[in-house]
Amino acid sequence: MALSIEAIIFYFLVIDSVAGNLIVWFSPKLLKWYTNTWKKFSREFPATKGWMAFYLILVLWIGYSLNRLGIV
């Protein structure tokens, strides 16, 4: 099975969203490091539980769509 560019991007997004959710839900030290180190970036892209849950749901929805198309 050959991986397409869409599948590769999807797998990177899955890894990113799962890692982000793990950090937000279970590691307050890494979350504090993120907000202190990336002050301007963290204001525009807040790492909160709600946004990370939404990000994971969005990535899973994209994966479901790609699966229905036979890409993943």
Side-chain angles (χ1 to χ4, degrees):
M1 177 178 133
L3 287 176
S4 64
I5 189 71
E6 293 91 359
I8 294 170
I9 292 170
F10 168 70
Y11 289 130
F12 280 131
L13 287 175
V14 167
I15 292 169
D16 182 53
S17 65
V18 169
N21 272 291
L22 288 175
I23 288 171
V24 167
W25 289 94
F26 300 113
S27 182
K29 285 186 179 181
L30 281 176
L31 185 60
K32 188 175 181 180
W33 173 83
Y34 168 73
T35 54
N36 288 337
T37 305
W38 302 89
K39 292 182 190 286
K40 289 184 180 182
F41 190 77
S42 67
R43 278 188 229 131
E44 296 296 325
F45 298 99
T48 59
K49 292 178 181 177
W51 283 115
M52 284 296 165
F54 177 70
Y55 179 42
L56 180 63
I57 290 169
L58 183 64
V59 168
L60 292 176
W61 177 61
I62 291 170
Y64 175 73
S65 300
L66 290 174
N67 187 25
R68 287 186 53 133
L69 291 171
I71 295 173
V72 175

